[in-house]
Amino acid sequence: MAARDQHGSGAPWGAEFKVVGQPHRKIDGLAKATGSAVYTDDIQLPGMLHAKTLRSPHAHANIVSIDVTKALELEGVHAIITGTDLPINYGVIPWTPDEHALANGKVRFIGDEVAAVAAIDEDTANAALKLIKVEYEVLEAFFDPREALAKTEPAIHEQKPLKDGSSRGNVSKHVKLEFGDVDAALASSDVVVEHDYSFHGTTHAAIEPHCAVGQYSADGLLTVHSSTQITHYVQRALARVLELPEAKVRVIQPFLGGAFGGKSDPFSLEFCVAKLAMITGRPVKMLWTREEVFYAHRGRHPMQLTYRTGANKDGKLTATDAKILIDGGSYSSFGLVTTYYSGQLLTGPVDIPTYRFDSTRVFTNKPPCGPKRGHGSVQPRFAFEIQLDEIAEKLNLDPIELRRRNWQGEQTKTVNGQRITSNGFMQCLDLVEQQSDWKARYGKLPDGRGLGVAGSMYISGTNYPIYPNDMPQAGIQLQVDRSGRVTVFTGGNDIGQGSSSMCAYIVSEELGVDLGDIRVIAADTDLCPVDLGAYSSRVTFMVGNATIDACRKLRKQICTAVAEKWEVEVAAVRLGGGLALCLSDAQKTIPVREAFQWAEARFDTLGSTGSYNTPTLGGDYRGGTIGASPAYSFTAHAAEVTVDRETGRITCEKVWCAHDCGRALNPTLVKGQIEGSVYMGAAEVTMEDHGINRFGLHSGPSLLDYRIPTSLDTPDIEALIVESIDPEGPYGAKEAGEGPLHSVIPAIANAVYDAVGIRLRHLPFTPGKVLAALEEKEAGQPAGTAS
Amino acid sequence: MRLLELEINGDRLHVAAPPHWTLLEVLRYELGLTGTKQGCDKGDCGACTVLVDGKPQLSCLMLGSAAQGHAITTIEGLLPAHRAQGGAGADPVQDAFDRCGALQCGFCQPGMMLSAKALLSENPTPTSTDIKHALSGNLCRCTGYTQILEAALLAATKTEEVL
Amino acid sequence: MLRLPTFQLHEPASLKEACALFAEHGAAAKILAGGTDLLPNLKHEIYDVDHVISLAKLPGITGFEMQGHDLVIGALTPLAQVATNPNIQKHAPALAQAASLVAGPQHRQMGTLGGNVMLDTRCQWINQSYFWREALGFCLKKDGTVCHVVEGGKKCVAAASNDTAPALMTLGASLTFVSATGTREIPIEDLWVADGINNKSARPGEILTEIRLPLRDHTHHGAYGKLRERGSIDFPLLGCAVRIDLDDADCVRDAAVSLVALQARPLLIKGVDALLQGLKLGSTELDQAIEAVAQLAHKKCKPLDNIPGDKDYRRRMVPVYVRRTLRAALDGTGPVHHI
Ligand SMILES: Cc1cc2nc3c(=O)[nH]c(=O)nc-3n(C[C@H](O)[C@H](O)[C@H](O)COP(=O)(O)OP(=O)(O)OC[C@H]3O[C@@H](n4cnc5c(N)ncnc54)[C@H](O)[C@@H]3O)c2cc1C
Ligand code: SF4
Ligand code: FES
Ligand code: FES
């Protein structure tokens, strides 16, 4: 296995990179552009049945009985399953397996899955759903997390009592951690700011709705094509629930139409198509409607946050104290991790000398929350970065300067024991300061226009492998053909971020093969070595390192074979630009294809494997490894807004986002990730709201009512790449997919303050709230009491 | 069931479909033209955009039957049309989207590119504002539209070269 | 995918045939024009219809025609054409602007002016799937017995949400309906009924064929203002059309203001002309009168929690949009839209 530090951050041959660092097309771009890329719903199999799900119309109820007789009698219906057919529980986090593919006696939100029908077509399946009779015993439902916390009965989940015998009630997870003496530090601080903040719920809204196709062969092999970002966990979950050996379960992720964390749980439809295929002996497809995707949710947790942060006159922070109530919705999903992340990921890029957080995730009868881009840490970042702005104001310091004074530095440790390696935050601040012309404009723009700044950090994967094991987190296999073609087998899920292309760039760099001669087979559990999946921004870092590992083993063989033929030192042989070259003799060059052939003749059929596992990381306390990453990315945002004092509308005009991604393996793709993150974050400020109404119904489960921005609603985005060259990342790379979302939200909030002098602390910033805050301010109330 | 006579990407095709099937369903599930995507089922996202006599329309809100008598262009039609005109590689719009990194997950892009294509054939030298307006019925969740905008501008310069 | 219910599809080749079919099936049939409203509503199962009568094959009810002092627009004319037609831009700028702000670009290619006039009312409790509405317990407009907007309400107050309606109201449009029993021309004001279940006086069997506008000269000023969250796609949270006609001395001869996305009917504000008449362009009196019109509209308009969006906020925006749209009409800077 590849140990850390093995690859370093340099070019494979010490000099300039040939491929890495330059813009390249994606290996699958034209397939997507021409419509030939096959996504899950594009799969049509002979004899395929179509399945639909019956969902609960009640937010909280016991199922008394289900009668499917009428539905089964309908012509064209082939099978109907209910909870009793899939009685085994599961959950993406093995400690909280509180989900069932179909309700096991109880439903916990409007939209919870109750039964599934396979029929000759969707119309027939829909007609059958209407014939299923379900009798419910309706229970009191909780939509407000405070209420769910206060009342323990009726508990949404049956849980083991606490050690002292008391009931857990509706608490899903509680974490309280303190590092240093926070109270003492606050008591002796020159200034302390304390406020309540809230973050509403938002969701991923990938444009591709979830879809799965199940096949069960006569010899007992289950194959599920699914729009998932975690093929490996889905394979494990399917094996568990369907009671099949893992070796008999194959999960394939076809092209995926966006995920953002919304496809990183095993979902009901995957189990249902599998079970229905096993029962009927026919392939079964289930495609969720857009509305059903809103029920599947797993989006950003609503959080109510109380923060206290202290600082001294010199601008140095002294302490932060956070209390967070997390609305988890109806199931655990990644909630255990979310609860930790809500505290653990705040301790950079500014140094917090003493820190305490007390986070409680509660169950409510709403669609389950989970990991959305910037999992768990976007909400606390929002509160904290506004606090920094307030401290800067109190101390009469420029907010960028305040952040500089508190920068934690490189090669350091955070107060909660996280190891920080490279850290380009200072360059990020410099860049957004320059590009936004901050010094000339901050605080000086005309009324109604303002600038704001904020910063953040994020993980590049963590050393927490979800289920405990000592095996690598990422594996790679390379197969080399005499023709000069190299095929990469990776478990990594390309969800649009370009991870398959990233593998190809690395192979091209390391083995000198043209990009066009590299194929990538990804996310097929029968063909590819395990990778844990596309979440926690782990893929570039981990799969990238594994790819380098596999390449270097091969390169050694190839260079050795060539060196022997040429009778030169192995070190004199280089692979690049489609050629093998000799450093000591310019006359000696051959196409890499030929070098492969020499190596195959010399060593036998060529192939190699590579892998990556994290070093031991994290604080030495319970939960200390959650959020412990081999490398952290850093971001600074400057946002410029206008506020219409009459309509209350906030328009984010421009965002400068400087992001330290370690090294940009392909700057085009990094920019795309930065721009996509900024867009998504900015939308959470003023537009998107995953609301549940007074009846417990999703207030608008459609892309009309859940308003994601159009091209006209997106700010101008200037993506600025900072390369800190991480010592352990692949060529120094870290991550770019999630970090650049975080601080755009508080940057906008801070810009609103600069524009019109109101402190908005409760998302979303609707025009109505803006007007109310402006009025309060005019009436002389302290800024920020509004909303 | 009714027998539909459709003109799709220049081909005259006969296909039987129930009257309540949308053009999107006919394209995807009857004709196997799965390049046209579905993101919302009901007119909210633009993923199912096709060109009807050169104008971008939503195939999820059009009955299969309503497509009769019109020239339908789907994403699958661009490359062959480009080749038929003697072009090499992909259509300039497809190529520009690929070059600029606009194709992240790619799911919104068939619709997006067709909207861009329609704009460019009407207005070969659009401004950024023109492009933003023309693409404002196609939701993209990945890109933040920035590289899409770059791609459309690049395609415009290339289209000009071709003309 | 969200499927359409099954129905029998009719594609008559003549208006006569269409009228006969509509007469035969009556309330069990729906007219299909662009389909951008009908299809989502059918998918949501808010109609019990067995027949869909498509107008796609009808000749001659598309396009623009000058008839004497009138401009006649065929009901099937796509909104994109209404928005960009030079005659509409000249004689009815408020209509062109309203049409240009309906939904998104693709909808405007498909959606017709007639379909927009005949658009069904909208409400957050009704424009949802059958499953959703069933979980809610339905409502008065379809399948249920209560209204969730007005507690204890006996009448549906779903909101007229068609952008072109207020523009057509200020322009004094008239509508031609053809049925198996004859032709009827009505002023557009007479179309509306204060009932969200069906906010139109047109009966099943009647097909809208023409929208007729009186031609106006250079002294006509009009504009449309639209409040919505996004720069595209969204239905109005508030729509406001204005017309100001001046005389040769640049004094207001006649004026009208109409709003939509409030309740079941688009509202024509009464008394606007009295406030503005005779006032000279550029005078402070006119400025004050514009403010008075804005306040009058504020008094008359009471948005409800029917469509999504905070009703108090929508109400606050009434005077803002009325004032801004009146100004835009005079300055020729419409539409009033945040993008
Ligand atoms: C995502 C989305 C956003 C939208 N946003 C807006 C918006 O911002 N503003 C807006 O105004 N609308 C909006 N719409 C609704 C719709 O697109 C437009 O109102 C459009 O003009 C409707 O015209 P159509 O031809 O498509 O109507 P259709 O759907 O064909 O018909 C609408 C209704 O009118 C009836 N009808 C149609 N034509 C006739 C006729 N000639 N005679 C008798 N009855 C007839 C139909 O039976 C049906 O009940 C939106 C729709 C969608 C899907
Ligand atoms: S106003 Fe809305 S809730 Fe009330 S009856 Fe009408 S559609 Fe239903
Ligand atoms: S699928 Fe047609 S608009 Fe979304
Ligand atoms: S590229 Fe993924 S939705 Fe646009």
Side-chain angles (χ1 to χ4, degrees):
Chain A
M1 185 189 310
R4 71 189 168 101
D5 288 329
Q6 184 179 322
H7 311 128
S9 53
W13 48 7
E16 289 287 286
F17 289 100
K18 286 256 185 243
V19 180
V20 161
Q22 282 131 47
H24 290 283
R25 293 174 186 246
K26 288 169 104 169
I27 57 165
D28 49 11
L30 284 173
K32 291 170 180 171
T34 53
S36 61
V38 174
Y39 297 73
T40 308
D41 184 44
D42 301 341
I43 295 170
Q44 298 268 49
L45 296 171
M48 189 169 79
L49 298 172
H50 296 266
K52 284 278 177 190
T53 303
L54 182 73
R55 292 172 181 275
S56 165
H58 301 294
H60 199 187
N62 289 321
I63 296 176
V64 178
S65 66
I66 306 181
D67 180 359
V68 300
T69 357
K70 278 254 156 51
L72 265 177
E73 283 166 8
L74 191 70
E75 190 184 335
V77 171
H78 283 260
I80 301 180
I81 52 176
T82 65
T84 49
D85 297 296
L86 290 164
I88 299 176
N89 59 347
Y90 63 90
V92 67
I93 304 288
W95 320 118
T96 55
D98 57 9
E99 298 189 51
H100 287 87
L102 296 168
N104 181 28
K106 186 167 177 183
V107 289
R108 297 182 174 85
F109 70 100
I110 295 180
D112 215 351
E113 293 93 355
V114 173
V117 177
I120 48 161
D121 55 26
E122 283 194 312
D123 286 347
T124 309
N126 278 329
L129 293 184
K130 288 194 176 173
L131 297 174
I132 299 177
K133 294 267 167 299
V134 186
E135 197 187 324
Y136 294 97
E137 176 202 359
V138 176
L139 303 169
E140 184 190 352
F142 301 107
F143 306 129
D144 179 348
R146 283 180 232 260
E147 211 185 310
L149 189 62
K151 283 182 91 170
T152 52
E153 288 296 321
I156 295 170
H157 287 274
E158 257 178 52
Q159 298 191 87
K160 276 204 269 283
L162 291 165
K163 285 203 191 80
D164 65 4
S166 61
S167 160
R168 281 177 205 266
N170 286 313
V171 172
S172 146
K173 180 74 191 167
H174 176 225
V175 177
K176 184 173 178 182
L177 288 171
E178 180 159 1
F179 308 95
D181 190 343
V182 171
D183 293 324
L186 283 173
S188 63
S189 299
D190 293 331
V191 294
V192 174
V193 291
E194 173 171 2
H195 286 289
D196 291 338
Y197 304 82
S198 52
F199 206 111
H200 61 311
T202 63
T203 200
H204 321 84
I207 306 296
E208 178 200 30
H210 298 53
C211 183
V213 181
Q215 282 167 277
Y216 189 65
S217 71
D219 48 1
L221 177 68
L222 174 71
T223 303
V224 174
H225 285 84
S226 179
S227 56
T228 179
Q229 56 192 113
I230 46 149
T231 14
H232 177 62
Y233 295 137
V234 171
Q235 179 195 20
R236 286 171 55 86
L238 282 168
R240 169 189 168 111
V241 171
L242 296 159
E243 299 178 272
L244 293 170
E246 274 176 47
K248 295 260 188 261
V249 179
R250 177 181 187 185
V251 179
I252 303 170
Q253 175 231 305
F255 274 94
L256 190 80
F260 316 108
K263 295 170 180 168
S264 57
D265 286 59
F267 285 100
S268 165
L269 81 173
E270 293 158 330
F271 304 99
C272 289
V273 295
K275 186 73 187 179
L276 290 166
M278 290 168 77
I279 293 172
T280 60
R282 292 170 69 163
V284 178
K285 180 193 278 183
M286 188 181 308
L287 168 66
W288 276 347
T289 63
R290 175 53 58 185
E291 179 181 5
E292 292 180 289
V293 174
F294 278 96
Y295 299 141
H297 190 40
R298 321 285 159 152
R300 182 123 34 244
H301 287 73
M303 291 191 193
Q304 294 167 13
L305 314 111
T306 303
Y307 270 73
R308 277 199 299 167
T309 299
N312 285 331
K313 286 208 188 75
D314 60 0
K316 286 281 203 182
L317 300 188
T318 53
T320 290
D321 182 18
K323 196 162 167 61
I324 306 175
L325 180 62
I326 306 173
D327 184 348
S330 50
Y331 292 95
S332 285
S333 178
F334 279 84
L336 180 150
V337 177
T338 316
T339 314
Y340 276 106
Y341 278 11
S342 72
Q344 290 288 60
L345 301 185
L346 195 71
T347 52
V350 303
D351 181 41
I352 308 177
T354 66
Y355 178 46
R356 174 169 65 214
F357 71 92
D358 180 347
S359 295
T360 308
R361 184 182 191 266
V362 296
F363 292 118
T364 52
N365 293 108
K366 300 195 277 194
C369 298
K372 177 179 164 186
R373 205 172 199 170
H375 180 192
S377 62
V378 168
Q379 305 93 319
R381 185 58 67 182
F382 163 71
F384 180 70
E385 294 289 322
I386 295 177
Q387 295 226 303
L388 291 187
D389 216 53
E390 296 180 82
I391 289 174
E393 192 188 15
K394 285 205 173 183
L395 296 174
N396 207 11
L397 269 177
D398 179 281
I400 293 184
E401 178 55 25
L402 177 86
R403 288 171 172 86
R404 283 200 182 108
R405 286 195 193 173
N406 287 286
W407 182 52
Q408 65 193 162
E410 292 181 86
Q411 302 298 346
T412 182
K413 223 178 190 128
T414 66
V415 68
N416 55 339
Q418 318 285 29
R419 186 196 68 166
I420 302 290
T421 52
S422 59
N423 187 335
F425 184 59
M426 291 295 249
Q427 292 102 290
C428 294
L429 282 178
D430 291 348
L431 267 178
V432 299
E433 184 180 56
Q434 278 163 24
Q435 295 304 112
S436 66
D437 201 6
W438 180 269
K439 284 195 181 123
R441 302 196 313 135
Y442 173 67
K444 300 174 190 125
L445 290 168
D447 179 62
R449 184 173 274 270
L451 277 175
V453 72
S456 59
M457 76 167 189
Y458 201 63
I459 50 180
S460 313
T462 77
N463 66 341
Y464 177 76
I466 294 208
Y467 67 97
N469 72 81
D470 295 328
M471 292 174 279
Q473 285 218 27
I476 283 282
Q477 234 167 311
L478 298 178
Q479 184 249 2
V480 178
D481 190 72
R482 302 178 180 179
S483 64
R485 187 261 302 141
V486 178
T487 300
V488 187
F489 296 88
T490 167
N493 295 83
D494 194 323
I495 60 177
Q497 86 283 42
S499 61
S500 291
S501 297
M502 183 270 302
C503 291
Y505 305 144
I506 291 177
V507 171
S508 179
E509 183 68 55
E510 293 284 332
L511 300 182
V513 187
D514 282 349
L515 276 174
D517 292 335
I518 300 168
R519 315 273 187 273
V520 180
I521 309 283
D524 177 334
T525 60
D526 260 16
L527 303 181
C528 306
V530 168
D531 176 67
L532 297 184
Y535 62 91
S536 292
S537 281
R538 52 179 296 291
V539 179
T540 294
F541 200 96
M542 301 197 184
V543 175
N545 270 329
T547 310
I548 294 179
D549 184 33
C551 288
R552 298 242 165 131
K553 289 176 192 165
L554 254 179
R555 203 179 65 200
K556 207 165 144 200
Q557 287 188 319
I558 296 161
C559 291
T560 303
V562 174
E564 284 177 10
K565 278 257 187 189
W566 282 344
E567 299 180 343
V568 297
E569 292 286 301
V570 178
V573 179
R574 291 286 179 262
L575 306 176
L579 300 171
L581 317 157
C582 180
L583 288 187
S584 53
D585 181 352
Q587 297 301 307
K588 292 192 159 80
T589 67
I590 49 165
V592 272
R593 170 174 36 86
E594 219 170 310
F596 289 177
Q597 292 170 0
W598 290 357
E600 187 177 338
R602 166 75 177 73
F603 291 108
D604 210 339
T605 302
L606 292 180
S608 76
T609 61
S611 64
Y612 176 81
N613 213 351
T614 51
T616 308
L617 293 170
D620 188 15
Y621 53 88
R622 191 188 170 98
T625 62
I626 302 187
S629 176
Y632 293 87
S633 74
F634 296 92
T635 314
H637 286 94
E640 181 164 349
V641 304
T642 51
V643 181
D644 183 329
R645 280 184 176 273
E646 202 180 21
T647 63
R649 189 189 288 272
I650 297 170
T651 307
C652 183
E653 306 282 353
K654 170 125 197 184
V655 175
W656 295 265
C657 175
H659 179 70
D660 166 21
C661 63
R663 184 192 294 280
L665 300 181
N666 177 347
T668 308
L669 300 197
V670 171
K671 284 196 166 153
Q673 289 304 306
I674 295 176
E675 289 155 2
S677 295
V678 168
Y679 141 95
M680 196 176 269
E684 296 186 52
V685 183
T686 52
M687 248 174 214
E688 298 178 19
D689 187 357
H690 197 265
I692 301 298
N693 66 27
R694 63 183 190 268
F695 300 101
L697 275 157
H698 192 293
S699 52
S702 70
L703 291 180
L704 181 59
D705 292 327
Y706 185 83
R707 297 184 166 87
I708 71 176
T710 73
S711 50
L712 291 168
D713 308 299
T714 302
D716 279 350
I717 303 167
E718 200 169 314
L720 305 159
I721 295 176
V722 170
E723 298 186 296
S724 61
I725 315 298
D726 189 76
E728 294 177 29
Y731 311 125
K734 298 191 283 191
E735 75 87 37
E738 302 189 75
L741 188 150
H742 289 72
S743 38
V744 67
I745 299 173
I748 292 173
N750 294 339
V752 169
Y753 187 72
D754 186 41
V756 289
I758 53 170
R759 276 277 171 224
L760 298 176
R761 301 191 177 91
H762 301 278
L763 288 165
F765 298 165
T766 61
K769 279 188 199 168
V770 172
L771 290 179
L774 286 169
E775 263 163 21
E776 264 183 33
K777 181 160 186 267
E778 235 133 77
Q781 268 143 311
T785 48
S787 59
Chain B
M1 279 291 172
R2 46 177 65 203
L3 191 65
L4 306 180
E5 186 180 321
L6 300 174
E7 188 195 321
I8 298 178
N9 301 327
D11 290 338
R12 198 159 287 282
L13 302 171
H14 290 89
V15 55
H20 69 291
W21 279 46
T22 61
L23 175 62
L24 175 64
E25 288 158 335
V26 173
L27 289 171
R28 287 183 54 78
Y29 307 124
E30 297 264 12
L31 295 170
L33 291 169
T34 53
T36 307
K37 298 298 181 219
Q38 183 272 124
C40 73
D41 341 295
K42 61 177 195 68
D44 302 335
C45 76
C48 64
T49 302
V50 298
L51 300 185
V52 179
D53 300 327
K55 307 277 190 203
Q57 302 201 8
L58 301 173
S59 61
C60 73
L61 292 188
M62 183 186 293
L63 295 180
S65 178
Q68 296 184 103
H70 300 283
I72 307 294
T73 307
T74 71
I75 193 66
E76 290 92 343
L78 296 194
L79 178 68
H82 177 65
R83 291 284 163 85
Q85 285 166 14
D91 174 274
V93 170
Q94 294 172 322
D95 190 61
F97 271 63
D98 184 36
R99 224 171 41 191
C100 295
L103 299 145
Q104 287 198 22
C105 78
F107 202 79
C108 69
Q109 301 288 3
M112 192 74 77
M113 286 183 284
L114 288 170
S115 284
K117 189 85 196 158
L119 169 70
L120 292 176
S121 57
E122 221 164 76
N123 175 5
T125 53
T127 62
S128 299
T129 309
D130 295 336
I131 297 170
K132 283 187 189 176
H133 278 274
L135 302 184
S136 68
N138 293 85
L139 299 176
C140 174
R141 197 55 168 164
C142 295
T143 60
Y145 304 102
T146 309
Q147 290 176 331
I148 290 175
L149 200 65
E150 288 166 16
L153 285 168
L154 176 67
T157 58
K158 283 210 248 171
T159 310
E160 257 193 314
E161 281 162 26
V162 176
L163 289 176
Chain C
M1 135 153 35
L2 188 64
R3 307 274 305 169
L4 280 168
T6 54
F7 48 74
Q8 211 176 319
L9 177 64
H10 307 273
E11 297 174 296
S14 71
L15 188 56
K16 202 167 159 217
E17 197 189 328
C19 289
L21 279 162
F22 207 3
E24 181 188 343
H25 300 295
K30 279 276 175 194
I31 294 291
L32 170 66
T36 58
D37 179 47
L38 184 71
L39 263 61
N41 288 346
L42 283 172
K43 288 186 174 200
H44 284 159
E45 301 176 56
I46 67 176
Y47 305 131
D48 292 318
V49 294
D50 303 321
H51 301 269
V52 168
I53 304 168
S54 163
L55 303 186
K57 301 223 155 72
L58 295 195
I61 62 170
T62 301
F64 309 87
E65 199 183 325
M66 297 288 194
Q67 288 181 4
H69 289 288
D70 290 342
L71 177 56
V72 178
I73 312 170
L76 277 197
T77 311
L79 291 167
Q81 290 179 24
V82 175
T84 52
N85 181 279
N87 277 326
I88 304 284
Q89 286 177 340
K90 184 164 147 215
H91 295 286
L95 176 61
Q97 292 169 17
S100 79
L101 291 178
V102 170
Q106 298 96 318
H107 306 96
R108 294 193 293 273
Q109 293 292 347
M110 308 174 74
T112 64
L113 182 60
N116 195 257
V117 170
M118 300 302 286
L119 184 81
D120 202 348
T121 56
R122 297 190 59 87
C123 174
Q124 56 177 314
W125 307 106
I126 193 76
N127 297 112
Q128 305 284 359
S129 72
Y130 185 86
F131 165 77
W132 194 99
R133 293 187 297 110
E134 187 182 33
L136 172 71
F138 299 112
C139 77
L140 274 176
K141 186 165 159 86
K142 180 75 174 69
D143 303 313
T145 54
V146 291
C147 174
H148 306 287
V149 175
V150 182
E151 226 171 289
K154 286 279 164 288
K155 204 162 193 184
C156 169
V157 290
S161 301
N162 31 5
D163 283 303
T164 67
L168 293 170
M169 303 260 284
T170 59
L171 290 163
S174 60
L175 309 173
T176 305
F177 285 93
V178 177
S179 68
T181 54
T183 299
R184 179 164 88 98
E185 188 171 330
I186 58 166
I188 189 166
E189 288 98 284
D190 293 355
L191 181 66
W192 313 114
V193 179
D195 179 0
I197 293 179
N198 177 3
N199 71 338
K200 297 169 200 79
S201 62
R203 294 174 297 273
E206 288 191 312
I207 296 174
L208 175 63
T209 55
E210 284 177 0
I211 296 100
R212 181 175 291 263
L213 303 172
L215 282 181
R216 293 173 192 275
D217 61 13
H218 63 280
T219 60
H220 167 71
H221 297 262
Y224 185 66
K226 176 166 179 172
L227 173 69
R228 60 173 164 185
E229 293 208 7
R230 291 182 293 185
S232 183
I233 304 179
D234 293 343
F235 280 92
L237 293 171
L238 186 70
C240 169
V242 308
R243 171 172 61 81
I244 306 180
D245 294 324
L246 303 178
D247 62 17
D248 291 338
D250 270 356
C251 293
V252 177
R253 180 161 48 84
D254 192 17
V257 171
S258 174
L259 292 105
V260 76
L262 303 164
Q263 306 191 6
R265 280 191 303 183
L267 200 66
L268 194 62
I269 307 289
K270 296 218 171 64
V272 169
D273 41 355
L275 284 169
L276 296 177
Q277 246 160 23
L279 300 178
K280 192 167 169 73
L281 196 61
S283 66
T284 35
E285 288 79 7
L286 182 58
D287 288 347
Q288 285 161 1
I290 286 176
E291 195 48 47
V293 171
Q295 292 314 321
L296 175 69
H298 187 233
K299 219 190 282 159
K300 295 269 172 78
C301 297
K302 302 206 172 65
L304 298 168
D305 272 329
N306 39 20
I307 52 177
D310 169 3
K311 70 172 189 304
D312 297 331
Y313 175 70
R314 280 159 53 216
R315 175 127 200 256
R316 277 187 82 153
M317 288 304 103
V318 168
V320 176
Y321 272 74
V322 168
R323 176 171 14 88
R324 288 186 180 187
T325 312
L326 282 165
R327 294 228 162 281
L330 291 172
D331 300 344
T333 54
V336 175
H337 187 233
H338 68 282
I339 296 285

